[in-house]
């Protein structure tokens, strides 16, 4: 419990460096893009209509002009943000901290009179809390990481915005640990779209946890360690909570996504894109088979015939095939029409995925893959990578991230509104209040 107490003290008192706040602003922009893009999906629009018609309040449903109660907004925005599989993540905690924190923080900020720096600080600390708990635990292999430790990050961000004390931060983390979900990993593999609401629920639970603390509820004394060391996992290394605390910030070790699918696909897709650049005349009709050698977690994504869009995003064979045929791994390559496309389905059936144990041993620092494309004329085209593009070792430029942001926000916003939101976020650290941001949203 000593490490947990030290961590709570840090979260209550930490001063966040400017470069870290700047990175958080970039993550906020990227996350807003993912939310706006996801909000345009049919099931998200239907869900938004159902929930927003029942509730009214001050919080914006991002991607629409509707306002609703803060817990509803946090739920809907968190759900939209995970739907396209374009939200950022952290490979060390094996999850997506920002989308478990930002919707709750924005919803809470809509009823607070705070500065832009206060909001960025809250998001940074919520991210830190979620990511470090994720790093400390080894979830059961049958669990999906969404909806588990993420509620802790949301709760910390909200409590920071409410000027919570060290004791309250400690309490809210223990309470939030008990409000996580028993998430099934099979949802992502089989296309169970309930998976897309896990992050939304975590954001809502973060707000509820903060309310519970304020009215006097309590958690167990070591709720975080017990839940993530005995319930959701049999191993919890609480020293990870204080390892290089204040020196190593988890937002600085995040990754951004350009491929609209599970991160475990990305190394193979980076290689496919490199092969397409090197061999621009390569025709998919010439392909006899494709072999992908990669790490064990990615090998699990081996269904060549996914049943829907979500399952397609968690299929290496489909991701490789749709990228080869469409020349892109963006949102438009992962649609229901593409799932039913005979050419993609046929090519996906020719893709085999194998584990390379040497590659598996390189996790979490690297995400390697090697791809061999066998052509009918007996040529073999191959290439490899040691890590995914977009992570701390091979980052995308700010221009790349802004281009992706615009590609997602254009599904709902004009270029002018998109720029207004981006610019407002990039000015947050010096903003006395949040009026510019919320007016733009």
């Amino acid at each position: 419990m000593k490490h947990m107490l030290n961590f709570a003290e840090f979260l209550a008192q930490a001063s966040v460096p400017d470069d870290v706040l700047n990175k958080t602003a970039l993550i906020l922009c990227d996350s807003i893009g993912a939310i706006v893009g996801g909000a345009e999906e049919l099931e998200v629009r239907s869900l938004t209509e159902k929930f927003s018609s029942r509730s009214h309040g001050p919080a914006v449903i991002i991607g629409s002009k509707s306002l609703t109660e803060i817990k509803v907004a946090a739920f809907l925005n968190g759900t939209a943000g995970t739907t396209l599989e374009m939200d950022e993540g952290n490979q060390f905690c094996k999850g997506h901290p920002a989308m478990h924190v930002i919707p709750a923080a924005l919803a809470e900020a809509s009823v607070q009179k705070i500065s832009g720096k206060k909001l960025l600080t809250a998001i940074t600390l919520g991210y830190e809390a979620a990511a470090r708990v994720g790093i400390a635990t080894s979830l059961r292999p049958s669990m999906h990481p969404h909806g588990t430790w993420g509620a802790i990050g949301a709760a910390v961000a909200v409590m920071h915005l409410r000027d919570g004390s060290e004791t309250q931060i400690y309490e809210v983390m223990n309470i939030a640990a008990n409000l996580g979900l028993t998430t099934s990993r099979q949802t992502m593999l089989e296309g169970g779209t309930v998976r897309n609401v896990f992050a939304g629920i975590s954001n809502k639970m973060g707000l509820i946890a903060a309310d519970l603390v304020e009215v006097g509820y309590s958690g167990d004394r070591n709720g975080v360690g017990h839940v993530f060391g005995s319930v959701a996992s049999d191993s919890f290394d609480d020293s990870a909570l204080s390892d290089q605390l204040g020196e190593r910030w988890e937002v600085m070790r995040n990754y951004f996504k350009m491929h609209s699918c599970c991160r475990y696909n990305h190394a193979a897709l980076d290689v496919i894109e490199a092969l397409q650049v090197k061999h621009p005349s390569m025709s998919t009709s010439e392909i006899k088979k494709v072999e992908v050698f990669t790490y064990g977690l990615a090998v699990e994504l081996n269904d060549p015939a996914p049943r829907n869009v979500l399952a397609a995003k968690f299929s290496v064979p489909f991701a490789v095939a749709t990228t080869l045929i469409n020349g892109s791994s963006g949102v438009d390559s992962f649609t229901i029409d593409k799932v039913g496309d005979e050419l993609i389905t046929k090519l996906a059936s020719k893709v085999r995925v194998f584990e390379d144990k040497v590659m598996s041993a390189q996790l979490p620092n690297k995400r390697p893959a090697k791809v061999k494309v066998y052509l009918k004329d007996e040529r073999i085209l191959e290439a490899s990578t040691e890590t995914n593009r977009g992570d701390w070792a091979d980052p995308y430029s700010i221009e790349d991230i802004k281009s992706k942001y615009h590609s997602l926000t254009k599904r709902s916003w004009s270029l002018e509104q998109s720029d207004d939101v981006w610019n407002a976020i990039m000015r947050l650290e010096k903003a006395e209040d949040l009026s510019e941001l919320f007016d733009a949203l």
Side-chain angles (χ1 to χ4, degrees):
M1 285 178 55
K2 177 182 177 182
H3 292 288
M4 181 66 182
L5 289 167
N6 289 342
F7 191 35
E9 180 182 8
F10 171 81
L11 293 171
Q13 301 176 7
S15 177
V16 182
D18 288 345
D19 62 328
V20 178
L21 292 177
N22 290 337
K23 182 64 177 290
T24 299
L26 190 62
I27 290 173
L28 178 55
C29 286
D30 184 77
S31 299
I32 294 292
I35 293 170
V36 175
E40 284 301 299
E41 293 297 289
L42 178 60
E43 69 272 23
V44 180
R45 290 206 307 269
S46 298
L47 188 68
T48 297
E49 182 178 351
K50 178 176 286 292
F51 274 79
S52 63
S53 65
R54 300 172 179 172
S55 175
H56 302 282
V60 64
I61 303 173
I62 299 170
S64 77
K65 295 182 179 179
S66 300
L67 297 174
T68 190
E69 194 269 330
I70 65 171
K71 294 180 181 67
V72 174
F75 167 68
L76 292 173
N77 291 331
T79 297
T82 60
T83 296
L84 294 180
E85 267 296 300
M86 292 296 274
D87 51 316
E88 70 83 55
N90 183 297
Q91 66 203 60
F92 300 97
C93 68
K94 301 187 185 71
H96 302 255
M99 201 52 69
H100 286 77
V101 171
I102 285 172
L106 286 175
E108 176 66 23
S110 67
V111 294
Q112 298 278 5
K113 293 183 178 180
I114 59 171
S115 68
K117 185 174 184 178
K118 178 83 168 179
L119 174 61
L120 291 176
T121 300
I123 293 171
T124 304
L125 296 175
Y127 192 112
E128 193 77 9
R132 283 183 178 265
V133 172
I135 292 167
T137 190
S138 296
L139 290 176
R140 302 190 186 284
S142 57
M143 290 194 77
H144 192 301
H146 282 203
T148 55
W149 39 257
I152 294 173
V156 167
V158 172
M159 190 55 69
H160 179 80
L161 291 174
R162 297 183 186 182
D163 295 321
S165 66
E166 175 188 335
T167 300
Q168 288 179 312
I169 293 287
Y170 181 80
E171 202 68 69
V172 85
M173 292 178 72
N174 286 327
I175 287 177
N178 282 277
L179 298 179
L181 301 174
T182 52
T183 55
S184 169
R185 192 174 185 83
Q186 289 304 114
T187 56
M188 73 181 195
L189 300 175
E190 297 177 9
T193 52
V194 64
R195 173 261 179 198
N196 289 340
V197 308
F198 294 165
I201 293 172
S202 280
N203 280 279
K204 180 177 179 179
M205 288 303 176
L207 287 157
I208 290 175
D211 287 345
L212 291 173
V213 167
E214 289 194 330
V215 298
Y217 281 79
S218 62
D220 37 345
R221 284 176 297 178
N222 187 26
V224 174
H226 180 68
V227 168
F228 292 100
S230 302
V231 181
S233 164
D234 292 322
S235 173
F236 187 78
D237 178 12
D238 63 351
S239 67
L241 300 179
S242 56
D243 181 31
Q244 300 180 66
L245 194 58
E247 300 174 14
R248 190 194 75 215
W249 293 87
E250 291 308 318
V251 295
M252 305 301 283
R253 300 202 299 169
N254 89 314
Y255 62 75
F256 292 104
K257 300 172 71 173
M258 297 295 170
H259 309 298
S260 184
C261 56
C262 176
R263 178 71 167 171
Y264 298 160
N265 289 314
H266 288 209
L269 296 184
D270 286 344
V271 175
I272 290 294
E273 289 188 349
L275 286 172
Q276 288 177 314
V277 170
K278 187 174 181 179
H279 305 280
S281 61
M282 178 180 60
S283 170
T284 54
S285 63
E286 299 174 340
I287 296 176
K288 186 163 57 176
K289 66 177 180 178
V290 179
E291 292 180 343
V292 177
F293 301 88
T294 187
Y295 52 94
L297 290 172
V299 175
E300 187 179 15
L301 280 58
N302 62 2
D303 183 2
R307 68 170 177 150
N308 61 14
V309 172
L310 177 61
K313 290 175 180 289
F314 286 84
S315 164
V316 172
F318 181 89
V320 167
T322 195
T323 300
L324 282 166
I325 287 175
N326 294 298
S328 168
S329 57
V331 172
D332 291 341
S333 290
F334 292 86
T335 63
I336 194 62
D337 291 340
K338 297 298 191 298
V339 171
D341 187 290
E342 290 185 7
L343 288 177
I344 296 175
T345 301
K346 184 177 180 180
L347 183 55
S349 70
K350 300 177 181 179
V351 179
R352 296 289 183 269
V353 190
F354 305 96
E355 180 180 6
D356 183 318
K357 292 190 181 300
V358 174
M359 293 182 180
S360 295
Q362 296 179 50
L363 273 62
N365 289 313
K366 295 183 179 180
R367 290 287 192 271
K370 178 171 71 174
V371 177
K372 290 185 176 182
V373 179
Y374 294 79
L375 303 180
K376 293 176 181 178
D377 64 6
E378 303 306 321
R379 284 184 299 152
I380 302 175
L381 310 179
E382 64 178 284
S384 62
T385 185
E386 289 192 347
T387 192
N388 297 345
R389 286 209 63 205
D391 69 12
W392 59 276
D394 187 13
Y396 291 118
S397 68
I398 293 178
E399 290 73 21
D400 289 333
I401 295 166
K402 188 173 184 180
S403 178
K404 170 205 167 180
Y405 163 84
H406 282 308
S407 76
L408 295 174
T409 58
K410 74 179 183 181
R411 304 184 93 202
S412 178
W413 291 348
S414 67
L415 180 59
E416 181 181 9
Q417 183 179 5
S418 186
D419 276 334
D420 285 347
V421 172
W422 176 282
N423 293 333
I425 292 172
M426 287 304 184
R427 289 193 284 261
L428 269 181
E429 188 180 353
K430 299 185 183 304
E432 294 182 359
D433 57 43
L434 303 179
S435 57
E436 182 185 14
L437 173 60
F438 284 128
D439 286 347
L441 288 173

